[in-house]
Amino acid sequence: MNTFHCSRQLVLLVTGIFLVSGCASVSVKDDRLVGDGGLTKPERIYVLPFSTSGEFNVDREGAELAQFERDLQNMMTAALLERFPNHLVPASPASSLAAVPQGNFWVVGGRFTRVNQGSRALRAVVGFGAGGTKVETDVYVYDRTLGSDLPFKTFRTTGGSGAQPGAVLSAGPVGAAVSAVGGAAKGLTDDVVRTSRMITADLSEYMFERDWIPEAKRLNAKR
């Protein structure tokens, strides 16, 4: 097989992977108002640790898996606590719904329904979605104005790693090394950050529609 034919096959392989994978992104789906809450702008939003009772496809088990799940919870909480004050209202962590006092407060919690680590080796060497990660969540929003224990708003997020070039298409050894490190280190961390942005964006659209926040704070959710 000549060099041209080999090169052509490589280009077709990488192009095919790119077309299948699409871009790295997270979107919002199944957005529903299911109660009478959310009628006034909250003074503060409390963030609960997201449950890890969903499906975890990762290369850990036992104590390592338990620590991984705690790290994922902490990562999500920290990301939401950072974004909410910038786009919504002040935010604080809470250990449980019952720990949040009755008052003009919202509580945001949820569940990791699916976490797929994918292949770090494929992301590092090939990129363009090969070995892609996946994070899906269910999100619940509670209004504690009347002390309700039922969410008034629910939605889901879904998404994962996408078209990130790996070492195969990098220019030179330095580019290959950078891509390899990035492909292995990124993935679920980026997915959680993107998920936190979409959660914030969904709530920001809700508040903007009711004139509770200015245009400058608004984020647009991808649906």
Side-chain angles (χ1 to χ4, degrees):
M1 186 178 295
N2 60 41
T3 303
F4 173 78
H5 187 65
C6 291
S7 299
R8 183 173 181 272
Q9 282 193 326
L10 178 60
V11 170
L12 289 174
L13 172 63
V14 173
T15 302
I17 294 172
F18 174 80
L19 292 175
V20 169
S21 67
C23 294
S25 66
V26 173
S27 60
V28 173
K29 57 190 292 188
D30 297 336
D31 198 346
R32 300 177 182 177
L33 292 174
V34 295
D36 296 328
L39 300 180
T40 60
K41 179 181 178 180
E43 298 174 11
R44 181 173 296 273
I45 296 177
Y46 287 87
V47 179
L48 303 180
F50 273 47
S51 167
T52 56
S53 61
E55 175 187 350
F56 275 66
N57 299 311
V58 298
D59 60 356
R60 296 163 177 82
E61 57 185 17
E64 287 189 355
L65 176 58
Q67 184 61 54
F68 174 82
E69 291 175 346
R70 286 192 294 270
D71 290 343
L72 208 63
Q73 286 179 317
N74 293 336
M75 194 186 309
M76 178 66 82
T77 298
L80 292 175
L81 290 175
E82 179 180 359
R83 291 186 182 277
F84 282 178
N86 293 330
H87 297 280
L88 305 173
V89 296
S92 300
S95 58
S96 67
L97 183 60
V100 179
Q102 180 174 327
N104 188 22
F105 310 123
W106 284 6
V107 181
V108 172
R111 182 172 77 100
F112 290 101
T113 57
R114 181 185 177 196
V115 176
N116 186 359
Q117 180 178 311
S119 170
R120 285 175 286 185
L122 283 176
R123 290 198 303 276
V125 176
V126 179
F128 283 102
T133 60
K134 189 83 169 183
V135 171
E136 296 181 343
T137 69
D138 287 342
V139 182
Y140 312 106
V141 187
Y142 305 83
D143 188 341
R144 294 292 286 171
T145 302
L146 300 177
S148 176
D149 292 334
L150 298 175
F152 74 90
K153 181 176 174 62
T154 67
F155 56 93
R156 296 178 177 179
T157 69
T158 181
S161 63
Q164 298 291 337
V168 167
L169 296 185
S170 300
V174 174
V178 170
S179 293
V181 172
K186 292 185 178 180
L188 291 178
T189 299
D190 288 347
D191 292 345
V192 170
V193 171
R194 286 191 287 263
T195 298
S196 73
R197 186 181 189 280
M198 284 302 100
I199 293 172
T200 306
D202 183 274
L203 298 180
S204 116
E205 287 183 345
Y206 183 91
M207 290 191 178
F208 180 76
E209 289 171 359
R210 288 154 180 78
D211 295 323
W212 293 349
I213 60 172
E215 176 74 34
K217 284 194 171 186
R218 181 187 182 186
L219 290 176
N220 293 316
K222 182 176 181 179
R223 303 180 188 276

